[in-house]
Amino acid sequence: MATEQSGLLDRHLAFVEALRGAGLSVSLAEDLDSVAALSALHWTDRDTVRAAFAATMVKKQSQRTTFDSLFDVYFPAMVGEGARAVGEESPGESGAVQDNAAALRSLRDRLAEALEAPQPDEPELRRMAAEMVGVFGSMPGRGPGLSSWSAYTALQRVSPQELVDRLVQALMAQGADEDEATRTANRRIGFFTAMVEDDARRRIAEEKGPDHVAEVAVRPSIDQLAFMAARRSDLEEMRKEIFPLARRLATRLAKEHHAKRRGPLDFRRTVRASIATGGVPITTHHRPKRPHRTDLVVLCDVSGSVANFAQFTLLFVFALREVFQSMRAFTFIDHVHEVTPYFRPGADPVTVLADLAASTSHAALWGRTNYGRAFTKFEEQHMDALGPKTTLLILGDARSNYSDLHEETLRSLAGSVKQAFWLNPEHERNWGTGDSAVPAYGEIVRMIECRNLTQLSEFVHDLAW
Amino acid sequence: MTWFDSPADVATRLDASGYLTDPATATTTFLAGALEKPLLLEGPAGVGKTELAKAVSRATGAELVRLQCYEGLDEARALYEWNYKKQLLAIQAYGAQPQRGTATTVDGNHQPQPWNDLDHSIFTDEFLLTRPLLTAIRREAQTVLLIDEVDKTDIEVEGLLLEVLSDFQVTIPELGTVAATRRPFVVLTSNASRELSEALKRRCLYLHLDYPDAKREREILHKQVPGLDDRIAEQLVATVGRLRDLELKKAPSIAESVDWARTLIALEIRDLDEVAIAETLGAVLKHQSDHQRAVKELKLGRS
């Protein structure tokens, strides 16, 4: 083409590539739609463009966070220091703000002020996040193109977390009660932290090209996020995701059972129905098939390293109570403790989790994970839980602190049940490294990698069949 | 003729018909009209997914054709059906006529003609019962087609929708292909109880509707519940916001906020204090455990 190229198309294609790389299935048709959508709109507002892209290319809400961060990387809201100089009394007029104590104090004060406002001003906060990364998060490099920005450094220096107390005081002065104020304060600080991370990503993208950032810095969506790599806020989000996920899975299971539910012919109903069609049995009726339900025994490691994973799996499996015949759950670290009673029908998940956490002490004598001892104790005390119809589910990373593994005990446990599975939250490539007993245990029980919610729900789906 | 001129036009016209949009909703609705693509709405129950379709129909003066999906919905109830009783009657009436019908064939006359006549005459428009999808496509005037709770159907019905949604045409073997003279504005809603197929999603624009922010929710309440006190609206929105932050089985949606506001008006409660909240909580929370959790978290027990 002879015409001058603006580079917009290239940028768009790179963006689509990045989306695909991040696991969004953007087809060619959707790509074309997005361009058609853009030509139908004005581009004056960045949010309009974002909405148009989102409508045409993101077809799952769980992928929206990934989309948003990639959009920010490829179509940044501002370049460099942005519109900071617009009549603001920022300390450095020439754009060269000093990283010194005075600047730090001034920024923290202004930040606190902005966050204390009854309705925080979002653009203002975003500007501050940009300033913060620019001043306190820069990592000067030896040459051009080697300098970089770090959200981590900026957050360490300014540490907005320390502002929480101050914020709580201010909010209470505005008439909120203490809980409310704490909640609001934490939410706003979290919001601001996310902004700072966005800004650092944006700056790095400017420096090194968006493709680089898209590869390394964009977090996966919540159902793809590994349990072991989850942050606190992620864990909360995941926990909220558990019940909807369980509900979806239950509907799906019910439907699939329904589709295959054709038992023996129900002669009487068929003949009765045939009267309507003049004695010709056009539709046949069948007796419902006896649903087959699994007896489940869950044995899970609740030591620090895998506690989150164990909690999630337990909650998830219990949310699906109705698709299993019966269920018993045991936790262990180096001792076994039954936790079935905590899961009352209709119980509140938050209480259940709190109870579980409180009961962890019962599962430990010395507090060092010891799979061998746990299996032996289980065999001694709870062997009655296992029967020929039972499915045994073991959850844990199989890291047993180099203790005696007692493989023969596990073999006898696995031998007394219908089937046994081991869910391991570690990436498969780490199995067998260090004190991991995967090679030994993996021979006895089928070991399955289960690192995120998607894998977990897939596994439970297959299990419930 | 286009549906809307611009996203801003969408916002003002939907606002006038009683539906408050946020920028993303307005933009996506505009695109659905401009690109003539179906709009797939997802989100929790009660955030106004179905209402958006109704609002579009009110704002544009187009008629709303609604297909409510459920498990076991089939072609006969979604697309079209032959009115076989009427066809049967027609055949009998035809046979009863002297010198034609059965009499001729019994006589052994080689006359295939009558049967062909019949074949053509019983597979005509007269004997066709159109169901929502076909109705929407055949309409000459502007139409909004609402396919509600599409996730409730079986996977096979999705296959059925594909032809309708991508080409806006329906193939009836006996009659041929019926193409839309004027493309309807199609809205599909889903509660995401199951994942829809990629093929269906690819043909649609996607919009996730979520709980609104406090400001918009207040405006919605004022719009939906006339006579609502400003102060009480603010208290209500704040409380609902806090309830949504708790981990509940079913977080209250806009529909529940509106219900609550109406309850408060009906009970003539002027101030939403702890007692009032505790008494009327049933309007917002529908699970026993949610109720207990809310009472505990909002510290309603003390009063």
Side-chain angles (χ1 to χ4, degrees), chain A residues 25 27 29-30 33 36-37 40-41 48 51-52 54-56 58-61 177 179-180 183 187 239-240 247-248 251 255 258 346-348 350-351, chain B residues 7 24 27-28 30-31 34-35 37 71 151-154 192-195 198 201-206 208 242 245-247 249 289 293 296-297 299:
Chain A
S25 52
S27 67
E30 283 161 333
D33 280 349
L41 288 165
T48 312
T56 45
V58 188
K59 305 287 170 84
K60 265 187 207 161
Q61 185 56 17
D177 65 80
D179 287 351
E180 172 79 28
R183 225 181 354 256
R187 196 170 52 226
R239 209 163 62 202
K240 282 187 187 157
R247 210 169 39 230
R248 269 206 293 284
T251 339
K255 242 180 218 151
H258 205 78
D348 182 41
V350 183
T351 338
Chain B
T27 310
T28 317
F30 165 71
L31 283 177
L35 305 183
K37 293 194 106 251
E71 216 184 312
D151 54 326
K152 295 264 159 49
T153 57
D154 309 312
S193 75
R194 82 179 159 82
E195 202 65 62
E198 291 288 321
K201 283 190 168 182
R202 190 162 64 69
R203 285 168 171 79
C204 301
L205 298 177
Y206 178 90
H208 183 91
R242 279 180 69 183
D245 279 348
L246 305 177
E247 272 177 50
K249 276 189 184 147
S289 65
R293 167 134 226 98
K296 203 166 97 196
E297 290 285 330
K299 303 202 175 63

